[in-house]
Amino acid sequence: GENVEQHPSTLSVQEGDSAVIKCTYSDSASNYFPWYKQELGKGPQLIIDIRSNVGEKKDQRIAVTLNKTAKHFSLHITETQPEDSAVYFCAANNNGANNLFFGTGTRLTVIP
Amino acid sequence: GAVVSQHPSWVICKSGTSVKIECRSLDFQATTMFWYRQFPKQSLMLMATSNEGSKATYEQGVEKDKFLINHASLTLSTLTVTSAHPEDSSFYICSAEPGQGFYEQYFGPGTRLTVT
């Protein structure tokens, strides 16, 4: 099955700075890579996703890049704000199926 | 769009009793729904996948007789924790997939179960 690794486990940045979270995956057949934001006591919220036929996708302050050859993808948040503070999870689907395998999460803290 | 609700948001029950958690997709039809369990400060662990009208597929190590899943319609799935014990206390989260091969999963707000 798929194995997704995520780094770092915790990340603190000053407000206004950028934050980068990286994930690697093991199954070259995976073709869908979403990112979720989870606030304390709430369910994960899909914030951006990318499919294997593109290398980069951007939505306002959030961007995701995908390197299929190296089997890694990254989340980039620019101009961070305190409300960006949360736990972020990357995921990859399982061999083209609809099951998602999640990374271990990154706790992002944006310091005002 | 793509809103998923869960009910209840939290529940406390006594050991030995059963608890039912509902998951509803409010503005779309979900061909597939998923049930996850999350321990504090940990990632999401997939428990089972359910498709409307068919039996759920459970992940290895998840007891299907203990965690009963029913996907009665394209907008409703239920998880029943039977004969609950304190070790079943956890945060249970469902997700729903609109289907059509796009793989997006939209998550509910979660249900905090505490078994005393």
Side-chain angles (χ1 to χ4, degrees):
Chain A
E2 177 66 277
N3 181 44
V4 179
E5 296 188 357
Q6 182 171 349
H7 298 281
S9 57
T10 60
L11 178 61
S12 293
V13 299
Q14 290 291 139
E15 182 177 359
D17 287 351
S18 296
V20 180
I21 303 170
K22 299 181 179 181
C23 287
T24 61
Y25 61 99
S26 61
D27 190 345
S28 58
S30 293
N31 57 4
Y32 175 64
F33 309 92
W35 285 89
Y36 288 88
K37 175 183 180 182
Q38 186 177 27
E39 297 178 341
L40 188 63
K42 297 183 179 180
Q45 175 191 5
L46 178 65
I47 57 173
I48 196 167
D49 56 15
I50 192 167
R51 299 180 190 278
S52 58
N53 58 343
V54 297
E56 184 174 358
K57 184 176 178 180
K58 189 174 182 180
D59 182 4
Q60 299 182 346
R61 297 187 296 110
I62 296 173
V64 56
T65 58
L66 171 65
N67 183 325
K68 288 174 56 180
T69 303
K71 289 188 283 188
H72 66 72
F73 55 113
S74 300
L75 177 71
H76 304 252
I77 306 175
T78 59
E79 301 173 26
T80 54
Q81 301 168 2
E83 51 265 39
D84 294 331
S85 296
V87 178
Y88 291 81
F89 290 98
C90 64
N93 67 332
N94 176 26
N95 193 21
N98 57 0
N99 291 9
L100 290 178
F101 284 82
F102 285 82
T104 49
T106 297
R107 182 171 299 278
L108 173 64
T109 302
V110 179
I111 304 166
Chain B
V3 178
V4 177
S5 70
Q6 267 183 256
H7 178 81
S9 55
W10 59 270
V11 57
I12 301 173
C13 71
K14 292 189 175 182
S15 188
T17 62
S18 296
V19 174
K20 180 185 285 188
I21 303 170
E22 289 188 351
C23 176
R24 294 182 184 272
S25 56
L26 298 185
D27 52 1
F28 66 97
Q29 291 185 329
T31 56
T32 307
M33 287 185 169
F34 304 84
W35 287 95
Y36 294 83
R37 186 173 178 176
Q38 187 177 34
F39 292 103
K41 297 186 178 181
Q42 293 192 22
S43 189
L44 292 88
M45 182 189 76
L46 179 65
M47 298 175 64
T49 303
S50 73
N51 292 291
E52 184 262 342
S54 60
K55 291 183 178 181
T57 301
Y58 290 81
E59 294 300 301
Q60 190 173 5
V62 178
E63 299 176 59
K64 62 180 181 180
D65 293 331
K66 180 168 187 60
F67 298 100
L68 301 179
I69 291 172
N70 184 283
H71 195 154
S73 73
L74 286 173
T75 60
L76 173 64
S77 177
T78 60
L79 167 68
T80 302
V81 183
T82 62
S83 187
H85 289 95
E87 55 266 32
D88 299 324
S89 299
S90 192
F91 193 51
Y92 292 88
I93 315 174
C94 72
S95 70
E97 181 195 276
Q100 301 177 344
F102 292 113
Y103 306 136
E104 294 100 338
Q105 289 187 30
Y106 298 95
F107 283 82
T111 296
R112 172 78 55 195
L113 170 63
T114 302
V115 184
T116 61

